[in-house]
Amino acid sequence: MKKEHVGIIGMSVMGRNLCLNLERNGYLVSIFNRSYKKSKKILVENPNKNILCFKNINEFISSIQKPRKIFLMIKSGNVTDKVINSILKYLDKEDIIIDLGNSYYKDTIRREKYLYNLGIKFIGAGISGGEMGALLGPSIMPGCKKSVYNIMKSIFINISAKYNDFPCVDYIGPNGSGHYLKMIHNGIEYGDMQIISESYYILKNLLKMSNVEISEIFNLWNKGELNSYLIEITRDIFLKKDDKGNYLIDFISDVAKNKGTGKWICKNALEIESPLSLITESVFFRYISSMKNERHFASKILIGSKNNFVCNNKDIFIEDLRRSLYFSKIISYAQGFYQLYIISKINKWNLNYINIAKIFRSGCIIRAKFLNKIIDAYKNNFKLKNLLLDKYFSEISCKYQNSLRNIVSTSILNGIPIPAFSSAISYYDSYRSNMLSSNLIQAQRDFFGSHKYERIDIKGSFHTNWK
Ligand code: 6PG
């Protein structure tokens, strides 16, 4: 049978790996990159493969089988618009452009509308899994018209990661929803990384554990409820030595960078009024980490706690920490999935949370055993608003909350920054409260601005002359 012939624009590591993935799965792949040298190198490094490379964009487009399927694997932002505009004149109606970059979902919505009016089909597909994911199979989150997804479905399935043969790709929803989901994925990724880092810091600074001991703890944790890709790589990170034989982790700067997707999810949480405190703290923590000079200066002036921590029972403390990590992870996912619930309602996306959790189980950065619990939760109640209300998650929350309280209070007493852990317990305590302190906020608003308040005993809106 003749091989289906597709195209990719963008030959960075991700583009190259996706090209090899497509080729391995039986496709003939035309590649194009702004600098021809990069494309040529891929060809030279991968001889006898079904890859064609082009210097000229027109020839590249002409080589692809119609209706064309062209993947964009380029830096998201203005470049995406530029590349789309540069190829438009060579395209025919019914051709499909698939943007696999980390594009902002509102840009994706705009691009789909624009291209639709020109007769060109467009898919905004989030992909996760980094370089290895692109090569061996990523988790893919396509957002577009269902009919367009159906045209691409078999390719997506072939190149995606598999979880026990189950392909980690599914139709997410209309225009923009795929990239929105990728943004949520990345926020959850930030949250996971933050709570893991806070755990590490507690093991290091309160229990004074060595890198090898910390690695052993993560190794143990990876065998249980916390089993996940991020825990697994964390375990390995602590054992890595540099050329001089030193543990590398101790020589890595504590300035954490970011590419902006974390900022997007937090901005959107504020926009649609969805409480996303844990992930937002994780993003802020990266910003605080970047204030290296200021922190250095402040460290000479501001003192911390003088408490000298004494651990009475190391095993109990470590188990408290493990439970804190798992419980905080639940809170983070509860907040992330709640945001999906809100946006799905606003945009009428009709998101399927079971399928979403399913496609996260392999290929992507947040892949974890725990996702099966999320699947069960939504299977038990498809209309579940907040994961914490599911039987399994509520039982874990009730059982593990005291561990988190212990870890948070001990850390605070000892001056260890744990913004994500403490936001987790605060969210839990706020969410489970029938009555919050905000009656006072309402009274204050009415006092200074006649903003009115509601009463708990009588219906209506009231204003009081407070003086
Ligand atoms: C993935 C990742 C990836 C992301 C990096 C870096 O799913 O493969 O989410 O898409 O770009 O993790 O993100 P930051 O630079 O913002 O940490």
Side-chain angles (χ1 to χ4, degrees):
M1 209 175 85
K2 198 168 164 279
K3 286 181 188 298
E4 192 172 352
H5 189 162
V6 299
I8 309 181
I9 300 180
M11 282 299 125
S12 62
V13 191
M14 291 293 284
R16 185 200 60 179
N17 285 359
L18 185 82
C19 162
L20 296 174
N21 182 346
L22 279 159
E23 200 277 344
R24 195 182 64 246
N25 280 291
Y27 297 93
L28 174 58
V29 192
S30 285
I31 59 174
F32 181 83
N33 194 67
R34 207 169 30 140
S35 117
Y36 177 66
K37 247 168 101 183
K38 254 191 184 168
S39 310
K40 191 80 201 160
K41 193 164 172 258
I42 292 169
L43 219 62
V44 172
E45 285 171 356
N46 299 279
N48 308 321
K49 295 253 156 109
N50 293 300
I51 302 172
L52 306 173
C53 93
F54 295 86
K55 231 181 206 166
N56 180 297
I57 189 88
N58 188 4
E59 285 169 16
F60 160 77
I61 305 263
S62 306
S63 72
I64 303 165
Q65 177 186 334
K66 289 184 196 174
R68 301 182 182 90
K69 290 159 187 160
I70 303 172
F71 295 91
L72 303 185
M73 204 47 163
I74 51 181
K75 197 169 175 277
S76 59
N78 294 341
V79 179
T80 310
D81 291 310
K82 272 194 194 146
V83 170
I84 289 174
N85 285 327
S86 74
I87 60 172
L88 272 181
K89 56 176 175 281
Y90 307 114
L91 297 182
D92 292 306
K93 290 211 159 98
E94 303 302 312
D95 285 351
I96 306 175
I97 299 176
I98 309 107
D99 175 19
L100 297 175
N102 267 335
S103 291
Y104 182 50
Y105 82 103
K106 286 188 181 170
D107 287 339
T108 302
I109 292 176
R110 171 178 55 76
R111 284 174 192 138
E112 200 214 38
K113 279 192 184 139
Y114 168 64
L115 290 168
Y116 180 77
N117 288 332
L118 302 173
I120 307 294
K121 298 185 163 75
F122 186 68
I123 302 181
I127 67 161
S128 174
E131 294 169 18
M132 291 320 283
L135 180 66
L136 303 174
S139 169
I140 311 177
M141 303 153 232
C144 54
K145 293 191 172 42
K146 188 72 192 270
S147 55
V148 183
Y149 173 75
N150 286 337
I151 304 173
M152 285 300 298
K153 190 174 169 182
S154 60
I155 299 187
F156 281 146
I157 288 177
N158 288 337
I159 64 169
S160 71
K162 308 289 176 305
Y163 177 83
N164 297 337
D165 292 336
F166 180 90
C168 290
V169 58
D170 209 333
Y171 177 67
I172 301 304
N175 199 357
S177 59
H179 276 138
Y180 189 93
L181 180 60
K182 180 65 203 317
M183 178 183 82
I184 294 281
H185 167 285
N186 279 25
I188 287 176
E189 174 186 306
Y190 275 55
D192 274 351
M193 291 164 81
Q194 179 66 27
I195 51 180
I196 292 172
S197 302
E198 290 178 14
S199 305
Y200 145 63
Y201 217 59
I202 289 168
L203 291 171
K204 181 183 160 108
N205 290 300
L206 289 184
L207 294 189
K208 311 283 180 213
M209 284 185 152
S210 68
N211 289 318
V212 174
E213 288 168 322
I214 296 173
S215 174
E216 277 163 13
I217 297 285
F218 279 99
N219 184 38
L220 221 63
W221 288 354
N222 197 40
K223 293 186 173 143
E225 290 168 325
L226 282 165
N227 176 271
S228 62
Y229 171 70
L230 283 170
I231 295 283
E232 186 188 312
I233 64 165
T234 304
R235 172 198 70 195
D236 297 345
I237 284 170
F238 289 110
L239 298 181
K240 187 75 183 167
K241 291 187 175 172
D242 66 10
D243 298 345
K244 294 180 188 146
N246 296 314
Y247 284 104
L248 184 57
I249 186 71
D250 298 328
F251 290 86
I252 293 181
S253 155
D254 64 350
V255 173
K257 304 273 171 63
N258 74 90
K259 293 204 193 77
T261 45
K263 186 192 295 183
W264 292 344
I265 184 178
C266 301
K267 277 169 93 170
N268 181 256
L270 289 172
E271 233 171 78
I272 65 172
E273 304 185 1
S274 180
L276 191 78
S277 49
L278 193 148
I279 290 170
T280 306
E281 285 292 1
S282 314
V283 176
F284 282 153
F285 197 76
R286 291 202 189 184
Y287 298 162
I288 292 186
S289 86
S290 300
M291 298 155 58
K292 185 72 178 175
N293 290 341
E294 269 176 81
R295 284 193 289 118
H296 180 70
F297 186 69
S299 71
K300 309 268 177 244
I301 297 171
L302 305 174
I303 58 154
S305 155
K306 285 222 167 70
N307 273 19
N308 281 326
F309 176 67
V310 181
C311 184
N312 294 324
N313 189 322
K314 216 168 154 180
D315 290 343
I316 291 180
F317 188 84
I318 292 170
E319 174 58 8
D320 269 347
L321 188 57
R322 188 196 68 79
R323 290 179 174 210
S324 299
L325 187 48
Y326 192 57
F327 179 36
S328 300
K329 187 178 171 80
I330 291 171
I331 300 276
S332 179
Y333 280 65
Q335 293 181 351
F337 273 75
Y338 186 74
Q339 191 158 325
L340 282 177
Y341 167 81
I342 299 287
I343 197 76
S344 183
K345 243 176 46 173
I346 294 173
N347 289 344
K348 299 191 176 58
W349 278 347
N350 206 14
L351 296 178
N352 181 325
Y353 311 108
I354 297 177
N355 290 349
I356 288 172
K358 277 185 178 171
I359 66 166
F360 283 164
R361 287 179 302 178
S362 184
C364 71
I365 305 294
I366 65 168
R367 57 189 184 260
K369 183 173 159 186
F370 146 93
L371 288 157
N372 284 314
K373 297 291 182 193
I374 298 185
I375 295 167
D376 292 344
Y378 286 111
K379 273 187 182 164
N380 288 337
N381 177 7
F382 195 72
K383 294 202 168 128
L384 187 67
K385 257 193 178 176
N386 189 313
L387 281 173
L388 289 179
L389 301 177
D390 164 72
K391 188 167 176 291
Y392 167 78
F393 288 118
S394 63
E395 277 172 13
I396 289 280
S397 303
C398 295
K399 200 167 143 201
Y400 286 11
Q401 44 130 3
N402 277 336
S403 295
L404 184 56
R405 292 183 200 285
N406 284 340
I407 292 296
V408 167
S409 52
T410 307
S411 302
I412 289 176
L413 283 172
N414 287 281
I416 307 277
I418 36 110
F421 274 160
S422 51
S423 80
I425 196 67
S426 291
Y427 176 83
Y428 179 70
D429 283 336
S430 312
Y431 188 68
R432 66 174 187 82
S433 290
N434 183 35
M435 185 73 192
L436 289 170
S437 54
S438 19
N439 50 340
L440 179 57
I441 295 172
Q442 281 298 79
Q444 289 165 333
R445 291 176 71 246
D446 190 58
F447 190 115
F448 63 67
S450 305
H451 294 298
K452 297 197 174 162
Y453 57 88
E454 283 86 45
R455 294 180 59 104
I456 53 174
D457 53 347
I458 318 167
K459 270 198 161 90
S461 195
F462 299 90
H463 168 61
T464 293
N465 184 358
W466 292 91
K467 291 195 186 127

